[in-house]
């Protein structure tokens, strides 16, 4: 079965950097667009980035453009999210997801979702 496992979350200070990973199994990774999302308790899950299967193109939400960078290593079946200049308001549970088409990733209708990893940014 398909599994997406996020890792790399933790407690950091404002201004720090952090890299999240999402390792996939049970699917042909390069055939799937991958996305990053986050959710704060009491709020809806928010789209952050969508990367096509080859990794050659990534679409970002305006809220993280310029601070977050999503990359993928298809040989390792892993998606990454490099987060720089972290702010207190970046505190959330971060999720990855996989879909056959990029528009499904952007529309948050992906086929498969990870369980999430907590990122807490202190002031």
């Amino acid at each position: 079965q398909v599994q997406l496992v996020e890792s790399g979350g933790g407690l950091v200070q404002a201004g720090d950097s952090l890299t999240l990973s999402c390792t996939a199994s049970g699917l042909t990774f390069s055939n799937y667009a991958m996305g990053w999302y986050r959710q704060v308790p009491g709020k809806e899950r928010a789209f952050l980035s969508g990367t096509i299967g080859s990794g050659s193109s990534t679409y970002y939400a305006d809220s993280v453009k310029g601070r977050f960078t999503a990359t993928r290593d298809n040989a390792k079946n892993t998606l990454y999210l490099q987060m720089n200049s972290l702010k207190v308001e970046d505190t959330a549970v971060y999720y990855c997801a996989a879909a056959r088409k990029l528009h499904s990733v952007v529309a948050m209708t992906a086929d498969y979702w990870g369980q999430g990893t907590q990122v807490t940014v202190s002031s």
Side-chain angles (χ1 to χ4, degrees):
Q1 86 248 30
V2 176
Q3 279 194 312
L4 302 178
V5 179
E6 300 95 338
S7 61
L11 174 64
V12 297
Q13 292 190 326
D16 285 352
S17 297
L18 193 65
T19 300
L20 305 181
S21 300
C22 168
T23 301
S25 59
L27 52 71
T28 303
F29 188 65
S30 59
N31 286 351
Y32 283 79
M34 297 294 296
W36 282 107
Y37 312 81
R38 66 186 178 189
Q39 188 168 21
V40 176
K43 294 190 176 181
E44 292 186 354
R45 192 169 298 187
F47 165 81
L48 300 179
S49 69
T51 303
I52 64 173
S54 69
S56 61
S57 180
T58 299
Y59 176 72
Y60 294 96
D62 288 342
S63 60
V64 300
K65 197 177 297 182
R67 288 196 305 127
F68 291 9
T69 303
T71 58
R72 61 192 294 164
D73 185 338
N74 287 348
K76 296 182 178 180
N77 285 6
T78 302
L79 174 75
Y80 303 97
L81 185 67
Q82 171 71 39
M83 305 185 291
N84 297 326
S85 302
L86 283 163
K87 306 174 182 180
V88 172
E89 50 265 42
D90 292 320
T91 296
V93 178
Y94 284 72
Y95 299 88
C96 65
R100 285 284 191 174
K101 300 294 184 182
L102 181 63
H103 70 77
S104 297
V105 168
V106 176
M108 299 177 59
T109 57
D111 301 307
Y112 306 104
W113 292 83
Q115 83 291 346
T117 186
Q118 175 72 45
V119 173
T120 303
V121 184
S122 64
S123 59

